[in-house]
Amino acid sequence: MRRKSNQGGNLEMADKQKYALVTGATQGIGYELAKLLAQDKYNLVIVARHQEELDARATEFKQQYGVEVITLAKDLSTRQGPFEVYEAVKMQGIPVDVLVNNAGQGQYGEFVETDITREREIVDLNIGAYLVLTKCFLKEMVARNEGKILMVSSIGGELPGPLQAVYHATKAFVSSFTEAIQNETKDTNITITKLLPGVTDTDFFNKADMTEAKIVKEGSKADPAEVAKDGYAALMTGKLEIISGLKNKAMVAASKVIPDSLVAENMHQQAKPSEK
């Protein structure tokens, strides 16, 4: 239920308040999406690991857009983190009208050499957090018969990813999972949108130790603000899917007709360390 004021004059205003929850909201695509939501007067619940970064963004959004901002410093790569986010929101009686599942990380390198502990954290973040938050908030949306969810996936979910095997696999889960629950909710007023960016100019590649990869060092990187605009427009109009960028659209289309082994080999060559 929406929070209501005891004063009758404020009841209608309180009833019209809109709330959006954004994970990974302090940087990159998540930050740009939070900004777009704030511009449209959504009050925000922003989630990230570091309280200082959250506080800085909260001050920015409040001052620039005059919205309420609630910060939740949680580690979504832990099993309990996503549940703690949901419980914190529930305790405040906040109805989440828009859920943006965005937080995600990767790890670069040959699978036989990469850190399995880190990869389990990536699976819990990229899959587990999406799963838990979607389950919890979608139940509430179904009960109200209204709501929007944006799943930030990746074109990597459509392509095998040598040297990023686990990351690509997690995004394949997100894409398949999203398509299934889109179908399950097709007769409701809830819309679930899948956003598929390609290589984007964010801190993702630093965290993944991937800055020397050919595709990153030599290739062009999308502006996260432009990716967010694509995703936000699709979210607001209820589109099922948006692939951001013409080059990425072409890459995904080609992967549908080229044998997977050749797609994998091509991705491997692009992901190899740059010689420049």
PDB file of all heavy atoms in Angstrom, residues 165-203:
ATOM      1  N   ALA A 165      33.620 -15.889 -19.729  1.00  0.00           N
ATOM      2  CA  ALA A 165      32.648 -16.984 -19.821  1.00  0.00           C
ATOM      3  C   ALA A 165      31.530 -16.871 -18.797  1.00  0.00           C
ATOM      4  O   ALA A 165      30.351 -17.065 -19.125  1.00  0.00           O
ATOM      5  CB  ALA A 165      33.373 -18.324 -19.657  1.00  0.00           C
ATOM      6  N   VAL A 166      31.883 -16.563 -17.555  1.00  0.00           N
ATOM      7  CA  VAL A 166      30.870 -16.522 -16.502  1.00  0.00           C
ATOM      8  C   VAL A 166      29.961 -15.315 -16.664  1.00  0.00           C
ATOM      9  O   VAL A 166      28.733 -15.417 -16.526  1.00  0.00           O
ATOM     10  CB  VAL A 166      31.531 -16.546 -15.104  1.00  0.00           C
ATOM     11  CG1 VAL A 166      30.505 -16.318 -13.997  1.00  0.00           C
ATOM     12  CG2 VAL A 166      32.241 -17.881 -14.888  1.00  0.00           C
ATOM     13  N   TYR A 167      30.532 -14.152 -16.972  1.00  0.00           N
ATOM     14  CA  TYR A 167      29.719 -12.953 -17.162  1.00  0.00           C
ATOM     15  C   TYR A 167      28.680 -13.154 -18.266  1.00  0.00           C
ATOM     16  O   TYR A 167      27.493 -12.873 -18.081  1.00  0.00           O
ATOM     17  CB  TYR A 167      30.597 -11.741 -17.490  1.00  0.00           C
ATOM     18  CG  TYR A 167      29.781 -10.516 -17.821  1.00  0.00           C
ATOM     19  CD1 TYR A 167      29.159  -9.783 -16.811  1.00  0.00           C
ATOM     20  CD2 TYR A 167      29.598 -10.103 -19.142  1.00  0.00           C
ATOM     21  CE1 TYR A 167      28.384  -8.671 -17.115  1.00  0.00           C
ATOM     22  CE2 TYR A 167      28.826  -8.988 -19.453  1.00  0.00           C
ATOM     23  CZ  TYR A 167      28.220  -8.280 -18.437  1.00  0.00           C
ATOM     24  OH  TYR A 167      27.448  -7.188 -18.731  1.00  0.00           O
ATOM     25  N   HIS A 168      29.121 -13.626 -19.420  1.00  0.00           N
ATOM     26  CA  HIS A 168      28.185 -13.846 -20.529  1.00  0.00           C
ATOM     27  C   HIS A 168      27.101 -14.857 -20.129  1.00  0.00           C
ATOM     28  O   HIS A 168      25.935 -14.684 -20.480  1.00  0.00           O
ATOM     29  CB  HIS A 168      28.933 -14.350 -21.768  1.00  0.00           C
ATOM     30  CG  HIS A 168      29.595 -13.251 -22.539  1.00  0.00           C
ATOM     31  ND1 HIS A 168      29.311 -12.986 -23.853  1.00  0.00           N
ATOM     32  CD2 HIS A 168      30.543 -12.351 -22.181  1.00  0.00           C
ATOM     33  CE1 HIS A 168      30.058 -11.973 -24.284  1.00  0.00           C
ATOM     34  NE2 HIS A 168      30.818 -11.576 -23.279  1.00  0.00           N
ATOM     35  N   ALA A 169      27.492 -15.884 -19.397  1.00  0.00           N
ATOM     36  CA  ALA A 169      26.515 -16.893 -18.972  1.00  0.00           C
ATOM     37  C   ALA A 169      25.485 -16.309 -18.016  1.00  0.00           C
ATOM     38  O   ALA A 169      24.302 -16.645 -18.088  1.00  0.00           O
ATOM     39  CB  ALA A 169      27.242 -18.073 -18.318  1.00  0.00           C
ATOM     40  N   THR A 170      25.924 -15.412 -17.125  1.00  0.00           N
ATOM     41  CA  THR A 170      24.950 -14.801 -16.207  1.00  0.00           C
ATOM     42  C   THR A 170      23.955 -13.940 -16.973  1.00  0.00           C
ATOM     43  O   THR A 170      22.770 -13.901 -16.639  1.00  0.00           O
ATOM     44  CB  THR A 170      25.638 -13.944 -15.120  1.00  0.00           C
ATOM     45  OG1 THR A 170      26.340 -12.852 -15.717  1.00  0.00           O
ATOM     46  CG2 THR A 170      26.578 -14.766 -14.266  1.00  0.00           C
ATOM     47  N   LYS A 171      24.434 -13.263 -17.997  1.00  0.00           N
ATOM     48  CA  LYS A 171      23.530 -12.418 -18.767  1.00  0.00           C
ATOM     49  C   LYS A 171      22.599 -13.247 -19.653  1.00  0.00           C
ATOM     50  O   LYS A 171      21.479 -12.828 -19.965  1.00  0.00           O
ATOM     51  CB  LYS A 171      24.330 -11.400 -19.589  1.00  0.00           C
ATOM     52  CG  LYS A 171      25.005 -10.345 -18.727  1.00  0.00           C
ATOM     53  CD  LYS A 171      24.007  -9.617 -17.833  1.00  0.00           C
ATOM     54  CE  LYS A 171      24.628  -8.520 -17.013  1.00  0.00           C
ATOM     55  NZ  LYS A 171      23.636  -7.825 -16.162  1.00  0.00           N
ATOM     56  N   ALA A 172      23.056 -14.431 -20.061  1.00  0.00           N
ATOM     57  CA  ALA A 172      22.161 -15.344 -20.779  1.00  0.00           C
ATOM     58  C   ALA A 172      21.017 -15.770 -19.857  1.00  0.00           C
ATOM     59  O   ALA A 172      19.862 -15.886 -20.285  1.00  0.00           O
ATOM     60  CB  ALA A 172      22.941 -16.562 -21.268  1.00  0.00           C
ATOM     61  N   PHE A 173      21.329 -15.989 -18.573  1.00  0.00           N
ATOM     62  CA  PHE A 173      20.284 -16.296 -17.606  1.00  0.00           C
ATOM     63  C   PHE A 173      19.292 -15.140 -17.518  1.00  0.00           C
ATOM     64  O   PHE A 173      18.069 -15.355 -17.560  1.00  0.00           O
ATOM     65  CB  PHE A 173      20.884 -16.555 -16.217  1.00  0.00           C
ATOM     66  CG  PHE A 173      19.840 -16.727 -15.139  1.00  0.00           C
ATOM     67  CD1 PHE A 173      19.371 -17.986 -14.803  1.00  0.00           C
ATOM     68  CD2 PHE A 173      19.307 -15.626 -14.478  1.00  0.00           C
ATOM     69  CE1 PHE A 173      18.391 -18.142 -13.831  1.00  0.00           C
ATOM     70  CE2 PHE A 173      18.326 -15.767 -13.512  1.00  0.00           C
ATOM     71  CZ  PHE A 173      17.868 -17.032 -13.182  1.00  0.00           C
ATOM     72  N   VAL A 174      19.803 -13.930 -17.382  1.00  0.00           N
ATOM     73  CA  VAL A 174      18.926 -12.763 -17.244  1.00  0.00           C
ATOM     74  C   VAL A 174      17.996 -12.648 -18.443  1.00  0.00           C
ATOM     75  O   VAL A 174      16.788 -12.410 -18.298  1.00  0.00           O
ATOM     76  CB  VAL A 174      19.743 -11.469 -17.067  1.00  0.00           C
ATOM     77  CG1 VAL A 174      18.847 -10.232 -17.150  1.00  0.00           C
ATOM     78  CG2 VAL A 174      20.483 -11.489 -15.731  1.00  0.00           C
ATOM     79  N   SER A 175      18.543 -12.842 -19.633  1.00  0.00           N
ATOM     80  CA  SER A 175      17.719 -12.720 -20.836  1.00  0.00           C
ATOM     81  C   SER A 175      16.631 -13.793 -20.889  1.00  0.00           C
ATOM     82  O   SER A 175      15.455 -13.493 -21.139  1.00  0.00           O
ATOM     83  CB  SER A 175      18.597 -12.800 -22.093  1.00  0.00           C
ATOM     84  OG  SER A 175      19.380 -11.631 -22.223  1.00  0.00           O
ATOM     85  N   SER A 176      16.997 -15.041 -20.630  1.00  0.00           N
ATOM     86  CA  SER A 176      16.018 -16.130 -20.657  1.00  0.00           C
ATOM     87  C   SER A 176      14.973 -15.972 -19.559  1.00  0.00           C
ATOM     88  O   SER A 176      13.763 -16.134 -19.799  1.00  0.00           O
ATOM     89  CB  SER A 176      16.748 -17.466 -20.503  1.00  0.00           C
ATOM     90  OG  SER A 176      15.828 -18.543 -20.451  1.00  0.00           O
ATOM     91  N   PHE A 177      15.425 -15.640 -18.374  1.00  0.00           N
ATOM     92  CA  PHE A 177      14.530 -15.430 -17.232  1.00  0.00           C
ATOM     93  C   PHE A 177      13.529 -14.310 -17.522  1.00  0.00           C
ATOM     94  O   PHE A 177      12.324 -14.442 -17.288  1.00  0.00           O
ATOM     95  CB  PHE A 177      15.385 -15.097 -16.004  1.00  0.00           C
ATOM     96  CG  PHE A 177      14.635 -14.609 -14.807  1.00  0.00           C
ATOM     97  CD1 PHE A 177      13.675 -15.388 -14.191  1.00  0.00           C
ATOM     98  CD2 PHE A 177      14.919 -13.363 -14.264  1.00  0.00           C
ATOM     99  CE1 PHE A 177      12.992 -14.933 -13.074  1.00  0.00           C
ATOM    100  CE2 PHE A 177      14.247 -12.903 -13.150  1.00  0.00           C
ATOM    101  CZ  PHE A 177      13.282 -13.692 -12.548  1.00  0.00           C
ATOM    102  N   THR A 178      14.032 -13.212 -18.073  1.00  0.00           N
ATOM    103  CA  THR A 178      13.168 -12.072 -18.382  1.00  0.00           C
ATOM    104  C   THR A 178      12.095 -12.453 -19.394  1.00  0.00           C
ATOM    105  O   THR A 178      10.911 -12.114 -19.232  1.00  0.00           O
ATOM    106  CB  THR A 178      13.998 -10.893 -18.916  1.00  0.00           C
ATOM    107  OG1 THR A 178      14.974 -10.531 -17.937  1.00  0.00           O
ATOM    108  CG2 THR A 178      13.121  -9.694 -19.215  1.00  0.00           C
ATOM    109  N   GLU A 179      12.484 -13.159 -20.440  1.00  0.00           N
ATOM    110  CA  GLU A 179      11.521 -13.543 -21.470  1.00  0.00           C
ATOM    111  C   GLU A 179      10.421 -14.444 -20.896  1.00  0.00           C
ATOM    112  O   GLU A 179       9.252 -14.349 -21.295  1.00  0.00           O
ATOM    113  CB  GLU A 179      12.245 -14.238 -22.621  1.00  0.00           C
ATOM    114  CG  GLU A 179      13.119 -13.282 -23.426  1.00  0.00           C
ATOM    115  CD  GLU A 179      14.110 -14.000 -24.320  1.00  0.00           C
ATOM    116  OE1 GLU A 179      14.016 -15.239 -24.431  1.00  0.00           O
ATOM    117  OE2 GLU A 179      14.998 -13.328 -24.893  1.00  0.00           O
ATOM    118  N   ALA A 180      10.793 -15.305 -19.949  1.00  0.00           N
ATOM    119  CA  ALA A 180       9.804 -16.207 -19.350  1.00  0.00           C
ATOM    120  C   ALA A 180       8.797 -15.447 -18.504  1.00  0.00           C
ATOM    121  O   ALA A 180       7.575 -15.668 -18.602  1.00  0.00           O
ATOM    122  CB  ALA A 180      10.513 -17.265 -18.500  1.00  0.00           C
ATOM    123  N   ILE A 181       9.284 -14.519 -17.661  1.00  0.00           N
ATOM    124  CA  ILE A 181       8.331 -13.814 -16.787  1.00  0.00           C
ATOM    125  C   ILE A 181       7.567 -12.733 -17.548  1.00  0.00           C
ATOM    126  O   ILE A 181       6.464 -12.352 -17.137  1.00  0.00           O
ATOM    127  CB  ILE A 181       9.012 -13.251 -15.530  1.00  0.00           C
ATOM    128  CG1 ILE A 181      10.124 -12.268 -15.873  1.00  0.00           C
ATOM    129  CG2 ILE A 181       9.527 -14.393 -14.645  1.00  0.00           C
ATOM    130  CD1 ILE A 181      10.730 -11.598 -14.635  1.00  0.00           C
ATOM    131  N   GLN A 182       8.116 -12.269 -18.665  1.00  0.00           N
ATOM    132  CA  GLN A 182       7.323 -11.394 -19.540  1.00  0.00           C
ATOM    133  C   GLN A 182       6.068 -12.125 -20.004  1.00  0.00           C
ATOM    134  O   GLN A 182       4.968 -11.565 -20.017  1.00  0.00           O
ATOM    135  CB  GLN A 182       8.147 -10.958 -20.751  1.00  0.00           C
ATOM    136  CG  GLN A 182       9.177  -9.879 -20.458  1.00  0.00           C
ATOM    137  CD  GLN A 182      10.102  -9.635 -21.637  1.00  0.00           C
ATOM    138  OE1 GLN A 182      10.245 -10.488 -22.525  1.00  0.00           O
ATOM    139  NE2 GLN A 182      10.750  -8.478 -21.658  1.00  0.00           N
ATOM    140  N   ASN A 183       6.242 -13.377 -20.379  1.00  0.00           N
ATOM    141  CA  ASN A 183       5.113 -14.174 -20.836  1.00  0.00           C
ATOM    142  C   ASN A 183       4.125 -14.445 -19.707  1.00  0.00           C
ATOM    143  O   ASN A 183       2.908 -14.356 -19.893  1.00  0.00           O
ATOM    144  CB  ASN A 183       5.602 -15.488 -21.438  1.00  0.00           C
ATOM    145  CG  ASN A 183       4.472 -16.369 -21.902  1.00  0.00           C
ATOM    146  OD1 ASN A 183       3.999 -17.233 -21.161  1.00  0.00           O
ATOM    147  ND2 ASN A 183       3.993 -16.146 -23.125  1.00  0.00           N
ATOM    148  N   GLU A 184       4.649 -14.740 -18.519  1.00  0.00           N
ATOM    149  CA  GLU A 184       3.782 -15.041 -17.378  1.00  0.00           C
ATOM    150  C   GLU A 184       2.932 -13.848 -16.966  1.00  0.00           C
ATOM    151  O   GLU A 184       1.835 -14.033 -16.428  1.00  0.00           O
ATOM    152  CB  GLU A 184       4.627 -15.497 -16.186  1.00  0.00           C
ATOM    153  CG  GLU A 184       5.265 -16.865 -16.368  1.00  0.00           C
ATOM    154  CD  GLU A 184       6.101 -17.301 -15.179  1.00  0.00           C
ATOM    155  OE1 GLU A 184       6.202 -16.530 -14.203  1.00  0.00           O
ATOM    156  OE2 GLU A 184       6.658 -18.403 -15.229  1.00  0.00           O
ATOM    157  N   THR A 185       3.420 -12.640 -17.211  1.00  0.00           N
ATOM    158  CA  THR A 185       2.693 -11.440 -16.779  1.00  0.00           C
ATOM    159  C   THR A 185       2.035 -10.697 -17.941  1.00  0.00           C
ATOM    160  O   THR A 185       1.594  -9.555 -17.778  1.00  0.00           O
ATOM    161  CB  THR A 185       3.649 -10.478 -16.039  1.00  0.00           C
ATOM    162  OG1 THR A 185       4.757 -10.161 -16.894  1.00  0.00           O
ATOM    163  CG2 THR A 185       4.187 -11.106 -14.754  1.00  0.00           C
ATOM    164  N   LYS A 186       1.940 -11.327 -19.095  1.00  0.00           N
ATOM    165  CA  LYS A 186       1.463 -10.631 -20.290  1.00  0.00           C
ATOM    166  C   LYS A 186       0.022 -10.155 -20.188  1.00  0.00           C
ATOM    167  O   LYS A 186      -0.379  -9.218 -20.889  1.00  0.00           O
ATOM    168  CB  LYS A 186       1.637 -11.512 -21.527  1.00  0.00           C
ATOM    169  CG  LYS A 186       0.728 -12.723 -21.601  1.00  0.00           C
ATOM    170  CD  LYS A 186       1.021 -13.541 -22.847  1.00  0.00           C
ATOM    171  CE  LYS A 186       0.014 -14.658 -23.064  1.00  0.00           C
ATOM    172  NZ  LYS A 186      -0.037 -15.627 -21.962  1.00  0.00           N
ATOM    173  N   ASP A 187      -0.772 -10.759 -19.316  1.00  0.00           N
ATOM    174  CA  ASP A 187      -2.172 -10.360 -19.176  1.00  0.00           C
ATOM    175  C   ASP A 187      -2.394  -9.411 -18.003  1.00  0.00           C
ATOM    176  O   ASP A 187      -3.520  -9.235 -17.546  1.00  0.00           O
ATOM    177  CB  ASP A 187      -3.051 -11.607 -19.018  1.00  0.00           C
ATOM    178  CG  ASP A 187      -3.033 -12.486 -20.260  1.00  0.00           C
ATOM    179  OD1 ASP A 187      -2.939 -11.935 -21.379  1.00  0.00           O
ATOM    180  OD2 ASP A 187      -3.092 -13.722 -20.119  1.00  0.00           O
ATOM    181  N   THR A 188      -1.325  -8.800 -17.515  1.00  0.00           N
ATOM    182  CA  THR A 188      -1.417  -7.837 -16.421  1.00  0.00           C
ATOM    183  C   THR A 188      -1.045  -6.446 -16.930  1.00  0.00           C
ATOM    184  O   THR A 188      -0.682  -6.276 -18.096  1.00  0.00           O
ATOM    185  CB  THR A 188      -0.463  -8.212 -15.267  1.00  0.00           C
ATOM    186  OG1 THR A 188       0.891  -7.971 -15.692  1.00  0.00           O
ATOM    187  CG2 THR A 188      -0.619  -9.675 -14.865  1.00  0.00           C
ATOM    188  N   ASN A 189      -1.128  -5.469 -16.036  1.00  0.00           N
ATOM    189  CA  ASN A 189      -0.693  -4.112 -16.375  1.00  0.00           C
ATOM    190  C   ASN A 189       0.778  -3.873 -16.034  1.00  0.00           C
ATOM    191  O   ASN A 189       1.226  -2.733 -15.966  1.00  0.00           O
ATOM    192  CB  ASN A 189      -1.552  -3.086 -15.633  1.00  0.00           C
ATOM    193  CG  ASN A 189      -2.972  -3.049 -16.166  1.00  0.00           C
ATOM    194  OD1 ASN A 189      -3.204  -3.255 -17.355  1.00  0.00           O
ATOM    195  ND2 ASN A 189      -3.931  -2.811 -15.295  1.00  0.00           N
ATOM    196  N   ILE A 190       1.512  -4.954 -15.805  1.00  0.00           N
ATOM    197  CA  ILE A 190       2.934  -4.860 -15.487  1.00  0.00           C
ATOM    198  C   ILE A 190       3.729  -5.062 -16.770  1.00  0.00           C
ATOM    199  O   ILE A 190       3.401  -5.935 -17.579  1.00  0.00           O
ATOM    200  CB  ILE A 190       3.327  -5.934 -14.452  1.00  0.00           C
ATOM    201  CG1 ILE A 190       2.608  -5.663 -13.136  1.00  0.00           C
ATOM    202  CG2 ILE A 190       4.827  -5.973 -14.225  1.00  0.00           C
ATOM    203  CD1 ILE A 190       2.224  -6.912 -12.409  1.00  0.00           C
ATOM    204  N   THR A 191       4.764  -4.242 -16.951  1.00  0.00           N
ATOM    205  CA  THR A 191       5.647  -4.430 -18.101  1.00  0.00           C
ATOM    206  C   THR A 191       7.054  -4.702 -17.610  1.00  0.00           C
ATOM    207  O   THR A 191       7.511  -4.115 -16.625  1.00  0.00           O
ATOM    208  CB  THR A 191       5.646  -3.206 -19.036  1.00  0.00           C
ATOM    209  OG1 THR A 191       6.087  -2.043 -18.326  1.00  0.00           O
ATOM    210  CG2 THR A 191       4.252  -2.962 -19.597  1.00  0.00           C
ATOM    211  N   ILE A 192       7.735  -5.603 -18.301  1.00  0.00           N
ATOM    212  CA  ILE A 192       9.113  -5.972 -17.968  1.00  0.00           C
ATOM    213  C   ILE A 192       9.943  -5.807 -19.228  1.00  0.00           C
ATOM    214  O   ILE A 192       9.652  -6.425 -20.260  1.00  0.00           O
ATOM    215  CB  ILE A 192       9.194  -7.425 -17.448  1.00  0.00           C
ATOM    216  CG1 ILE A 192       8.244  -7.625 -16.255  1.00  0.00           C
ATOM    217  CG2 ILE A 192      10.626  -7.766 -17.041  1.00  0.00           C
ATOM    218  CD1 ILE A 192       8.130  -9.072 -15.792  1.00  0.00           C
ATOM    219  N   THR A 193      10.947  -4.962 -19.142  1.00  0.00           N
ATOM    220  CA  THR A 193      11.746  -4.582 -20.306  1.00  0.00           C
ATOM    221  C   THR A 193      13.180  -5.052 -20.137  1.00  0.00           C
ATOM    222  O   THR A 193      13.766  -4.906 -19.069  1.00  0.00           O
ATOM    223  CB  THR A 193      11.726  -3.053 -20.482  1.00  0.00           C
ATOM    224  OG1 THR A 193      10.372  -2.614 -20.651  1.00  0.00           O
ATOM    225  CG2 THR A 193      12.563  -2.623 -21.677  1.00  0.00           C
ATOM    226  N   LYS A 194      13.726  -5.588 -21.201  1.00  0.00           N
ATOM    227  CA  LYS A 194      15.113  -6.072 -21.202  1.00  0.00           C
ATOM    228  C   LYS A 194      15.980  -5.104 -22.004  1.00  0.00           C
ATOM    229  O   LYS A 194      15.707  -4.852 -23.179  1.00  0.00           O
ATOM    230  CB  LYS A 194      15.164  -7.485 -21.794  1.00  0.00           C
ATOM    231  CG  LYS A 194      16.550  -8.101 -21.855  1.00  0.00           C
ATOM    232  CD  LYS A 194      16.501  -9.555 -22.312  1.00  0.00           C
ATOM    233  CE  LYS A 194      15.835  -9.740 -23.650  1.00  0.00           C
ATOM    234  NZ  LYS A 194      16.040 -11.077 -24.239  1.00  0.00           N
ATOM    235  N   LEU A 195      17.007  -4.557 -21.358  1.00  0.00           N
ATOM    236  CA  LEU A 195      17.945  -3.653 -22.014  1.00  0.00           C
ATOM    237  C   LEU A 195      19.248  -4.386 -22.271  1.00  0.00           C
ATOM    238  O   LEU A 195      19.845  -4.958 -21.348  1.00  0.00           O
ATOM    239  CB  LEU A 195      18.195  -2.428 -21.124  1.00  0.00           C
ATOM    240  CG  LEU A 195      19.353  -1.497 -21.524  1.00  0.00           C
ATOM    241  CD1 LEU A 195      19.137  -0.907 -22.911  1.00  0.00           C
ATOM    242  CD2 LEU A 195      19.524  -0.391 -20.487  1.00  0.00           C
ATOM    243  N   LEU A 196      19.695  -4.357 -23.526  1.00  0.00           N
ATOM    244  CA  LEU A 196      20.936  -5.044 -23.908  1.00  0.00           C
ATOM    245  C   LEU A 196      21.943  -4.030 -24.440  1.00  0.00           C
ATOM    246  O   LEU A 196      21.927  -3.695 -25.625  1.00  0.00           O
ATOM    247  CB  LEU A 196      20.674  -6.110 -24.973  1.00  0.00           C
ATOM    248  CG  LEU A 196      19.959  -7.389 -24.531  1.00  0.00           C
ATOM    249  CD1 LEU A 196      18.467  -7.165 -24.391  1.00  0.00           C
ATOM    250  CD2 LEU A 196      20.217  -8.509 -25.514  1.00  0.00           C
ATOM    251  N   PRO A 197      22.841  -3.544 -23.591  1.00  0.00           N
ATOM    252  CA  PRO A 197      23.928  -2.689 -24.073  1.00  0.00           C
ATOM    253  C   PRO A 197      25.072  -3.539 -24.606  1.00  0.00           C
ATOM    254  O   PRO A 197      25.156  -4.745 -24.350  1.00  0.00           O
ATOM    255  CB  PRO A 197      24.381  -1.948 -22.805  1.00  0.00           C
ATOM    256  CG  PRO A 197      23.468  -2.391 -21.692  1.00  0.00           C
ATOM    257  CD  PRO A 197      22.833  -3.669 -22.134  1.00  0.00           C
ATOM    258  N   GLY A 198      25.964  -2.886 -25.320  1.00  0.00           N
ATOM    259  CA  GLY A 198      27.231  -3.505 -25.691  1.00  0.00           C
ATOM    260  C   GLY A 198      28.336  -2.919 -24.827  1.00  0.00           C
ATOM    261  O   GLY A 198      28.112  -2.589 -23.660  1.00  0.00           O
ATOM    262  N   VAL A 199      29.518  -2.771 -25.394  1.00  0.00           N
ATOM    263  CA  VAL A 199      30.639  -2.185 -24.654  1.00  0.00           C
ATOM    264  C   VAL A 199      30.312  -0.720 -24.360  1.00  0.00           C
ATOM    265  O   VAL A 199      30.078   0.073 -25.272  1.00  0.00           O
ATOM    266  CB  VAL A 199      31.953  -2.291 -25.463  1.00  0.00           C
ATOM    267  CG1 VAL A 199      33.088  -1.595 -24.728  1.00  0.00           C
ATOM    268  CG2 VAL A 199      32.297  -3.754 -25.717  1.00  0.00           C
ATOM    269  N   THR A 200      30.288  -0.378 -23.085  1.00  0.00           N
ATOM    270  CA  THR A 200      29.872   0.957 -22.645  1.00  0.00           C
ATOM    271  C   THR A 200      30.969   1.560 -21.775  1.00  0.00           C
ATOM    272  O   THR A 200      31.658   0.856 -21.035  1.00  0.00           O
ATOM    273  CB  THR A 200      28.539   0.871 -21.872  1.00  0.00           C
ATOM    274  OG1 THR A 200      27.568   0.203 -22.696  1.00  0.00           O
ATOM    275  CG2 THR A 200      28.009   2.246 -21.517  1.00  0.00           C
ATOM    276  N   ASP A 201      31.107   2.862 -21.858  1.00  0.00           N
ATOM    277  CA  ASP A 201      32.185   3.571 -21.160  1.00  0.00           C
ATOM    278  C   ASP A 201      31.856   3.740 -19.675  1.00  0.00           C
ATOM    279  O   ASP A 201      31.436   4.800 -19.221  1.00  0.00           O
ATOM    280  CB  ASP A 201      32.408   4.936 -21.819  1.00  0.00           C
ATOM    281  CG  ASP A 201      33.676   5.608 -21.315  1.00  0.00           C
ATOM    282  OD1 ASP A 201      34.466   4.936 -20.621  1.00  0.00           O
ATOM    283  OD2 ASP A 201      33.864   6.807 -21.616  1.00  0.00           O
ATOM    284  N   THR A 202      32.028   2.659 -18.921  1.00  0.00           N
ATOM    285  CA  THR A 202      31.785   2.664 -17.481  1.00  0.00           C
ATOM    286  C   THR A 202      32.994   2.069 -16.771  1.00  0.00           C
ATOM    287  O   THR A 202      33.967   1.659 -17.405  1.00  0.00           O
ATOM    288  CB  THR A 202      30.535   1.834 -17.122  1.00  0.00           C
ATOM    289  OG1 THR A 202      30.834   0.439 -17.315  1.00  0.00           O
ATOM    290  CG2 THR A 202      29.344   2.226 -17.971  1.00  0.00           C
ATOM    291  N   ASP A 203      32.899   1.966 -15.449  1.00  0.00           N
ATOM    292  CA  ASP A 203      33.992   1.405 -14.648  1.00  0.00           C
ATOM    293  C   ASP A 203      33.987  -0.132 -14.667  1.00  0.00           C
ATOM    294  O   ASP A 203      34.835  -0.759 -14.044  1.00  0.00           O
ATOM    295  CB  ASP A 203      33.876   1.912 -13.206  1.00  0.00           C
ATOM    296  CG  ASP A 203      35.182   1.772 -12.439  1.00  0.00           C
ATOM    297  OD1 ASP A 203      36.237   2.041 -13.029  1.00  0.00           O
ATOM    298  OD2 ASP A 203      35.144   1.385 -11.250  1.00  0.00           O
TER     299      ASP A 203
END
